[in-house]
Amino acid sequence: MLRIAASAKTIVRTASLEAPPLGIRVLPRLYHERVVDHYDNPRNVGSFDKNDPTVGTGLVGAPACGDVMKLQIKVDDKTGKIVDARFKTFGCGSAIASSSVATEWVKEKQIEEVLTIKNTEIAKHLSLPPVKLHCSMLAEDAIKAAVKDYEAKRASASAGGQTTTGEKAATA
């Protein structure tokens, strides 16, 4: 069985090395080593409990290409610093690499600071080709959505806490 797979691989490899017809120039499409590294060894894959009040979840997608990205941040309420980040991405290698880089970049930063991360910085870091820029845009959008979700949970919790305190004062 392995021999068949190995010989098939050789056939595919030889077939792809054949010269194209005259007048047609075929250029290989290569990814930068950082994209390949983050695709082969993605950092911070996984998820947190979305109901945890210290967790913000950003879920974004690009209908045109089918990429879907979920990025979660875990925030220390006392300091406002992001202590951990996780992602799950369904999509191409560039989308996975963009998610992985985004989680690395947001860790140990203040919320206000991560909102300044731009898709152009992610794209430049990964040397993404123009056709893959939407992947870095998804990563930026996912960061913003996660922060927005965390802040909404925090506002809801503090509004709920104020109501409870007010009710206790009225009851007493």
Side-chain angles (χ1 to χ4, degrees):
M1 186 72 140
L2 290 176
R3 240 184 234 155
I4 295 169
S7 62
K9 199 177 207 180
T10 307
I11 292 169
V12 169
R13 208 178 275 150
T14 354
S16 65
L17 293 176
E18 292 177 10
L22 289 174
I24 298 175
R25 186 173 173 199
V26 178
L27 297 174
R29 182 169 283 185
L30 302 174
Y31 285 104
H32 190 274
E33 63 187 36
R34 286 190 195 112
V35 174
V36 175
D37 179 40
H38 279 277
Y39 176 76
D40 287 340
N41 308 298
R43 283 70 150 177
N44 310 306
V45 176
S47 59
F48 299 121
D49 177 8
K50 66 179 180 181
N51 297 319
D52 182 344
T54 64
V55 171
T57 303
L59 183 63
V60 295
C65 67
D67 293 339
V68 178
M69 188 178 294
K70 178 176 88 169
L71 187 139
Q72 292 181 299
I73 55 172
K74 189 173 193 87
V75 183
D76 181 346
D77 280 334
K78 294 175 187 159
T79 62
K81 186 182 275 191
I82 297 172
V83 293
D84 205 357
R86 295 276 184 262
F87 82 92
K88 284 188 176 182
T89 294
F90 177 81
C92 66
S94 296
I96 292 168
S98 295
S99 304
S100 179
V101 166
T103 58
E104 284 194 321
W105 285 7
V106 300
K107 281 183 169 185
E108 300 302 316
K109 292 196 171 120
Q110 295 292 326
I111 288 201
E112 302 79 27
E113 192 177 352
V114 299
L115 290 173
T116 65
I117 295 174
K118 299 293 176 209
N119 70 297
T120 51
E121 296 167 334
I122 295 170
K124 185 177 180 181
H125 177 74
L126 293 172
S127 298
L128 294 178
V131 73
K132 293 295 182 177
L133 290 180
H134 67 279
C135 297
S136 62
M137 289 179 207
L138 277 179
E140 179 185 348
D141 292 344
I143 293 168
K144 289 178 180 175
V147 168
K148 184 177 180 179
D149 181 56
Y150 168 73
E151 289 176 340
K153 282 182 181 178
R154 193 168 172 206
S156 174
S158 64
Q162 289 172 353
T163 306
T164 307
T165 308
E167 288 172 1
K168 285 181 185 175
T171 312

